[in-house]
Amino acid sequence: MVVFLFYSPAMQNNTPSRDTFSGKFGIIAAAAGSAIGLGNIWRFPYVLGENGGGAFLLVYLLFVIMIGVPVMISELLIGRKAQLNVFGAFKKLAPGKPWYLIGVMGVGAAFLILAFYAVVAGWTLQYVYFSVTNALDGNTPAQMIQVFEGVQATKGWSVFWTLLFMIGTAYIVSSGIEKGIEKYTKILMPLLVLIILILDVRAVTLDGAMEGLNFLFNPDFSKLNSDVILEALGQAFFSLSIGMGVIVTYGSYIKKNESLGSTALSVSLADTLIAVLAGVAIFPAAFAFGMAPNQGPGLVFITLPNIFNQMTGGYIFGLLFFMLLSIAALTSSISLLEVVVAYFTEELKLRRKQATWIAAGIMSLLAILCAFSDSTFGAFDYISSNILLPVGGFLVVVFVGWIMEKNSPRLEIEADGRKARYYKGFQFVIKFLAPIAIALVFLNGLGWI
Ligand code: PFF
């Protein structure tokens, strides 16, 4: 999301006028804005649905706590210590060494992610349109599936809505009106949570909802295999926006007296809670309406409109839901585009407007490719979430655990003047547990060990 990255020439180097977040709520709202998006509400349920349900959830939660939170603390402390963007930060903390390549990899990941993200955001906009025109009213579950298949198959419209979304993202990033947006999202995101809660209540009171809750919360360990475990790791990275430098940049705007540990914890908790709440709306409904939980990327678009049809005020709830989801997607996509724009302006010395439209132009071409080809869509998604982000996260923890001067991570974490009682545990995790776990899951998932 929004506040953060935003460019003023002073942000390029370590000048006294460097912007900082105004306070605790600002930081959490901003970081959570990047983290909370389609990843929670669209990607989490469909990946969970394809990977066996409850057992996936358990592994996912384990990874968020064991790997996600420590990686996020590491990225925050790198950013705050260096007071620079991700490339500059690694160049400053490890001069003459190639660690800044983590940032370059992050730029690659941002291109791939935004390419398919924009297509899904385009679908979301189409569902806003359907909601306004009440086009889904009275549809049977089977018809809902047809509608979604139509959305995917009608390439012209898909491309139109995808480009509209990209233009919106690029416009905001190029003209620097993020601060205005942030003001609204502080109100709008809690509203999204409220609507999901209302949906949850309706979903779990549907006939046959129990089966869906069982699917989500009752782990069947026979479903676990190396692919499922790698998917859970990739989903944790994707959802928390870690492993590609976004959080390093946030860290650089956090004041010294703020606690990095509790920031990372709150953001991760909020992010995970929203994903689970989305699951609680989707799976009971899917089962109640006789739909398979492994529908793939259409799951949320197929399932939720059935609930809207079954509730009083469904028209307004449906409309609000898809509008707010579009905004959640926008605040995440801004952070993705910003990674590339920061690189283009600061490393390649392009002007900001130029950088934004060049980046958005290339991303739009990639997005059109994704709209036309399901396999390109799937490949971009897989490569970014399951390969680039975990490799990025691995390098980040190795950097903090083994490369930074011995005491400096601790000094940065404790710069708020409070003793970090968790530090010894954190150090163990980033030196050993997290890198070994990421490496094992990754190599095993790719079939290399
Ligand atoms: N975390 C975002 C979501 O869950 O929708 C997606 C995302 C944003 C991934 C920014 C990576 C990133 F750097």
Side-chain angles (χ1 to χ4, degrees):
M1 159 161 27
V2 234
V3 200
F4 63 101
L5 306 154
F6 300 125
Y7 177 85
S8 71
M11 290 181 183
Q12 287 188 17
N13 37 50
N14 191 7
T15 61
S17 59
R18 190 178 177 77
D19 285 0
T20 52
F21 288 123
S22 50
K24 188 94 214 154
F25 189 69
I27 304 161
I28 293 174
S34 170
I36 296 163
L38 296 170
N40 310 60
I41 293 162
W42 158 72
R43 198 176 187 281
F44 172 79
Y46 107 72
V47 173
L48 181 139
E50 282 185 336
N51 287 283
F56 176 96
L57 177 63
L58 216 62
V59 178
Y60 175 79
L61 294 176
L62 200 73
F63 284 159
V64 168
I65 296 164
M66 213 177 70
I67 297 174
V69 175
V71 170
M72 196 180 280
I73 296 177
S74 302
E75 291 195 16
L76 289 172
L77 80 86
I78 291 171
R80 190 168 72 177
K81 182 165 174 54
Q83 293 284 298
L84 286 169
N85 73 82
V86 61
F87 317 95
F90 284 106
K91 276 189 178 160
K92 182 171 172 183
L93 299 181
K97 304 266 171 49
W99 287 94
Y100 65 90
L101 289 175
I102 296 175
V104 177
M105 227 169 57
V107 171
F111 271 105
L112 297 186
I113 295 177
L114 199 46
F116 68 85
Y117 206 81
V119 174
V120 182
W123 297 341
T124 314
L125 290 178
Q126 290 201 59
Y127 274 75
V128 172
Y129 176 77
F130 292 153
S131 307
V132 173
T133 54
N134 212 6
L136 305 174
D137 190 31
N139 276 4
T140 62
Q143 286 169 325
M144 291 297 184
I145 296 180
Q146 279 170 5
V147 170
F148 180 75
E149 285 170 354
V151 163
Q152 259 188 321
T154 322
K155 304 299 182 197
W157 280 116
S158 255
V159 169
F160 169 80
W161 291 106
T162 301
L163 292 182
L164 190 69
F165 180 80
M166 278 301 302
I167 291 170
T169 304
Y171 177 75
I172 292 169
V173 171
S174 81
S175 55
I177 53 169
E178 299 84 7
K179 291 207 173 184
I181 290 218
E182 198 232 346
K183 212 169 57 195
Y184 296 111
T185 48
K186 275 187 192 167
I187 305 162
L188 295 179
M189 289 306 103
L191 192 61
L192 176 64
V193 176
L194 184 71
I195 293 191
I196 298 175
L197 277 172
I198 295 172
L199 281 178
D200 284 346
V201 172
R202 180 65 270 229
V204 300
T205 49
L206 289 168
D207 275 347
M210 217 35 220
E211 216 185 323
L213 288 175
N214 265 332
F215 178 78
L216 180 59
F217 291 119
N218 233 345
D220 169 359
F221 290 106
S222 68
K223 298 264 172 64
L224 284 186
N225 58 43
S226 54
D227 288 342
V228 172
I229 295 174
L230 178 60
E231 288 286 350
L233 183 71
Q235 174 59 26
F237 273 86
F238 184 89
S239 192
L240 296 172
S241 299
I242 53 177
M244 57 173 290
V246 168
I247 302 294
V248 172
T249 315
Y250 279 122
S252 72
Y253 300 122
I254 297 181
K255 289 193 182 120
K256 292 285 183 193
N257 63 0
E258 300 289 351
S259 156
L260 300 183
S262 74
T263 301
L265 204 62
S266 320
V267 171
S268 307
L269 265 177
D271 189 71
T272 306
L273 189 74
I274 294 187
V276 173
L277 288 179
V280 171
I282 287 171
F283 292 104
F287 281 88
F289 296 116
M291 298 170 140
N294 59 350
Q295 299 271 342
L299 184 67
V300 65
F301 297 101
I302 293 170
T303 317
L304 292 190
N306 290 301
I307 313 187
F308 299 129
N309 274 345
Q310 298 275 324
M311 60 199 276
T312 342
Y315 175 84
I316 196 75
F317 283 124
L319 180 60
L320 270 174
F321 173 80
F322 285 115
M323 274 169 48
L324 293 168
L325 186 57
S326 308
I327 292 166
L330 189 65
T331 59
S332 299
S333 67
I334 289 169
S335 76
L336 284 161
L337 180 55
E338 187 64 36
V339 171
V340 180
V341 170
Y343 180 69
F344 281 6
T345 51
E346 299 182 17
E347 303 296 311
L348 308 182
K349 305 291 176 219
L350 293 181
R351 281 200 318 272
R352 184 170 183 80
K353 276 214 160 33
Q354 227 179 5
T356 310
W357 291 104
I358 290 174
I362 301 171
M363 285 166 169
S364 299
L365 291 177
L366 295 174
I368 292 173
L369 255 171
C370 289
F372 272 91
S373 151
D374 287 355
S375 56
T376 310
F377 183 111
F380 280 15
D381 184 344
Y382 190 89
I383 294 169
S384 52
S385 311
N386 295 356
I387 299 179
L388 295 176
L389 300 186
V391 171
F394 173 83
L395 294 173
V396 163
V397 282
V398 168
F399 185 81
V400 175
W402 298 96
I403 307 292
M404 282 177 83
E405 265 170 55
K406 198 162 173 299
N407 232 352
S408 74
R410 177 170 215 148
L411 288 177
E412 191 54 52
I413 287 180
E414 293 182 346
D416 60 354
R418 275 167 296 222
K419 201 165 159 47
R421 267 172 297 154
Y422 62 87
Y423 191 78
K424 280 243 149 17
F426 168 75
Q427 201 178 26
F428 174 75
V429 170
I430 55 161
K431 267 181 176 290
F432 303 105
L433 193 70
I436 292 173
I438 297 172
L440 283 180
V441 172
F442 181 71
L443 296 174
N444 197 24
L446 296 183
W448 292 352
I449 52 169

